[in-house]
Amino acid sequence: MTAARGGPLAGVRVVELASLAPAPFGCMVLADLGADVVRVDRPGGPGAGRLAAPTGGPLQRSRRVTALDLKSPTGVADLLRLVERADVLVEAYRPGVAERLGFGPDVCRGHNPRLVYARMTGWGQDGPLAGRAGHDIDYIAVAGALEPLGRPGARPHAPLNLLGDFAGGGMVLAVGVLAALLERERSGVGQVVDAAMVDGSALLTSFLHGLLGTGLWAASRGRNLLDGGAPFYDTYATSDGGFMAVGALEPAFYAVLLTGLGLADDADLPDQYDPSGWDELRRRFTERFAERTRDEWTTVFADLDACVAPVLAPGEAHRHPHNAARGTFVEVDGEIQPAPAPRFDRTPAGPPAPAPDPGRDVAPVDDILASWD
């Protein structure tokens, strides 16, 4: 695999210590933007277990890979050799582990004062829970991002691990690294980036806190404007078992929704923003959507600006005409994956490269350093 792919981060050198979902996603974003990301695996592979750090798939694309025993003095010494020429180090250990192993921020700063040292954790580097284990569902629970998700009277429902691991974790990590690199251009020195999933997940609820502050989010779970409480912001089953997503919040779009459903001339319909009539509106919408298939409704709303869209499974999203036209998904080594985002007109990155094979593509540290001269 070549290190040069172009892109706005071309020339940025990132050392990634192999870990699970959030940090690899953040490093994937950096690699997608052109950074030269070198993943450091443990010798002999990622280890056993269902939750062992994966070495393939989209999150590992566009990397180079080396293997070091970071519990040995030789492995740590080799890591510090990489640090001396790197711009960024990304680690996802519990607080204090990197320090005990001999490559904490102070040690790395002594080898490279310009290094951006990015730390990805669930609870952060300090606080009562800093040393505790957790997963996405725990972080979004404490952040206040889980409680609002779900239907009335039902349990809160986690949206996969999209909020904590990827949005509040890996993406916030990438933003932190980019900000630190930009600041380094002014100060000449690096700094530690403390990216905690509980912090990032709380940040994602900023808009919700604004609604709470103005009294616009006062009802219980599943009974508010954007949580499925409003019948014009919800999903509906179709006759073939598919679903349509309706987001007709504004009156103009709502009027077009009624036109598409054939309800525009129904004088008995409750007013759009009268919550006392929402149950009746939902009943009418449910009945009408159940009359046709998902593809038939997609055709009905194809030329109507009603904020209505088919609910697509991950495996079929790439076939949607809009996604196909924009190249929102790409094929990498025979696998359909989301394409890099955002896009750049002057410094576009090349297409993603397949994830390196740790059994075949492991590069000696000396080879990586030679490419970084």
Side-chain angles (χ1 to χ4, degrees):
M1 180 188 300
T2 59
R5 296 179 50 252
L9 294 185
V12 173
R13 302 164 177 175
V14 179
V15 176
E16 172 197 5
L17 305 187
S19 62
L20 291 170
F25 177 73
C27 290
M28 182 203 77
V29 171
L30 299 176
D32 282 349
L33 299 181
D36 182 7
V37 179
V38 174
R39 189 184 75 225
V40 177
D41 286 352
R42 65 178 64 182
R50 293 180 60 189
L51 294 181
T55 58
L59 296 190
Q60 304 298 329
R61 68 192 185 193
S62 301
R63 308 285 214 286
R64 293 193 287 171
V65 63
T66 190
L68 296 175
D69 181 2
L70 297 181
K71 294 183 178 180
S72 73
T74 300
V76 171
D78 279 341
L79 175 64
L80 294 176
R81 291 170 63 204
L82 292 172
V83 163
E84 289 174 355
R85 300 189 190 179
D87 296 293
V88 182
L89 173 71
V90 177
E91 59 98 341
Y93 296 115
R94 293 197 199 188
V97 171
E99 285 85 348
R100 291 197 298 273
L101 292 174
F103 50 86
D106 290 341
V107 172
C108 289
R109 186 178 291 119
H111 286 261
N112 181 358
R114 290 175 54 83
L115 183 74
V116 173
Y117 194 109
R119 318 193 81 167
M120 180 79 262
T121 60
W123 302 113
Q125 295 299 310
D126 52 41
L129 296 177
R132 295 277 292 275
H135 281 294
D136 177 293
I137 194 169
D138 306 304
Y139 311 134
I140 67 174
V142 172
L146 177 59
E147 191 278 337
L149 305 178
R151 292 296 183 179
R155 296 173 296 167
H157 184 73
L160 303 178
N161 60 335
L162 299 178
L163 284 182
D165 278 353
F166 300 117
M171 190 64 78
V172 169
L173 172 78
V175 170
V177 167
L178 297 177
L181 288 173
L182 180 62
E183 191 278 337
R184 190 183 69 174
E185 295 302 304
R186 298 191 292 269
S187 67
V189 294
Q191 59 184 304
V192 175
V193 177
D194 177 2
M197 283 176 267
V198 66
D199 296 347
S201 300
L203 183 65
L204 295 174
T205 68
S206 298
F207 178 69
L208 177 56
H209 278 270
L211 294 177
L212 289 168
T214 57
L216 295 178
W217 193 278
S220 58
R221 177 171 54 253
R223 299 188 183 280
N224 296 279
L225 184 64
L226 300 176
D227 62 359
F232 44 86
Y233 199 86
D234 206 347
T235 58
Y236 291 92
T238 57
S239 63
D240 60 343
F243 294 90
M244 297 294 292
V246 175
L249 289 172
E250 295 81 1
F253 301 135
Y254 181 75
V256 182
L257 167 66
L258 296 184
T259 297
L261 292 175
L263 298 173
D265 297 327
D266 193 332
D268 295 332
L269 281 183
D271 291 337
Q272 177 185 5
Y273 275 94
D274 178 7
S276 67
W278 281 0
D279 287 343
E280 175 62 16
L281 281 179
R282 178 171 283 104
R283 184 185 68 80
R284 299 291 295 277
F285 292 172
T286 298
E287 291 176 351
R288 191 52 58 93
F289 274 110
E291 293 175 359
R292 300 186 185 185
T293 67
R294 187 190 70 176
D295 289 347
E296 288 172 339
W297 282 119
T298 299
T299 300
V300 168
F301 285 101
D303 297 321
L304 296 178
D305 215 5
C307 300
V308 176
V311 177
L312 303 178
E316 60 179 341
H318 68 283
R319 293 194 293 269
H320 189 278
H322 182 81
N323 293 335
R326 280 187 57 81
T328 301
F329 294 84
V330 294
E331 184 174 323
V332 180
D333 201 24
E335 180 181 30
I336 300 297
Q337 303 178 4
R343 307 178 188 199
F344 300 84
D345 70 336
R346 189 171 56 80
T347 59
D357 183 344
R360 181 189 65 218
D361 299 327
V362 175
V365 168
D366 286 340
D367 289 357
I368 295 170
L369 291 174
S371 72
W372 282 357
D373 276 341

